[in-house]
Amino acid sequence: MNSGAVNPLVTAIVVTYNRRDLLTEALDALAAQTRRPDVLIVVDNASTDGTPALVRERFPDVDLVELATNTGGAGGFAAGLARALDTSAAETGGTGGRAALIWLMDDDTIPEPGALAALLDARERAPREPALVASRVLWTDGRDHPMNTPRVKPGASRAERAAAAEAGCSPVRSASFVSVLVDAAAVLERGLPVADYFLWNDDFEFTTRLLRGRTGLYCPASVVVHKTGTFGGTDADPGDRFYYEVRNKLWLFTRSRGLAPAERVLYAGSSVRRWARTYARSRDRATLRRGLRAGVRDGLRRRPRPTEEVISAAMRRYDP
């Protein structure tokens, strides 16, 4: 049993943008957890629908982080994690207090009542302390959501699989930001998400970096519902957003420390095959071609801005 998991301080982070009703549902679901988070942070990505006022009025105990510009999921989670690390350091007394864990999710993620308790139970039962534990993600009709299925760890040893099974889990190499519990100490060591990704592949880059040489678990006993508008996987037609898929994958494969050289080859090949399937199924191939050209250009010619610079710029007008 992992004794470091006993009575941890848990900070939940929800990143939102112009989805008041879904955010309200998500926050109500967090309040209904059998084991509630100790701290709740909502990062508002410059919503224009009155989200900040709603949070202040209906959820006064929430630590609301208001950004001046929309930084996407990548910037939102980076800003939220930065706030959570400050909060957990104060609450736990640095490294001398309780273990600090951070639970990440989007505003359209609705956790079932036992979701957090199951993540904590898996973490405590694991023979080796995991850097992250990811939930099972369903769509609104009860099917497993292909968009958020954690990537199984390639080449996991029999011992790794057996150790994960002791916790009712399986070993993974990456996970999505739709309900993942991460170790704050690992984030302090490996760094925040790359905010300049804006959207897509930010969670893949962050979790592979967090998990390189560490243990990651998929916990099917922890269940959340991801209320996306449509059911589909990563090869669904992304339209204009294909630009971010291409640019960010190139940044990941050429600049991130998350993947070993052999893994870069494996995942790059997988990405190219998925792009080909997406293109073949698309009804607007011209848009995908434009996204591909611009993504390759920007992915190879420039590097992401420092995350601290992106967050600082987004929060500047709120500084005293």
Side-chain angles (χ1 to χ4, degrees), residues 37-114:
D38 301 286
V39 180
L40 177 53
I41 297 171
V42 170
V43 180
D44 179 63
N45 252 323
S47 293
T48 58
D49 64 350
T51 289
L54 169 76
V55 173
R56 286 191 292 268
E57 178 181 347
R58 292 195 51 183
F59 304 96
D61 294 333
V62 164
D63 181 4
L64 178 63
V65 177
E66 295 182 67
L67 301 183
T69 57
N70 181 7
T71 62
F77 282 111
L81 278 161
R83 176 69 65 90
L85 292 174
D86 288 342
T87 301
S88 63
E91 293 287 339
T92 62
T95 57
R98 295 184 290 169
L101 305 174
I102 305 171
W103 191 18
L104 307 170
M105 68 193 72
D106 288 319
D107 55 6
D108 57 357
T109 302
I110 314 301
E112 294 192 351

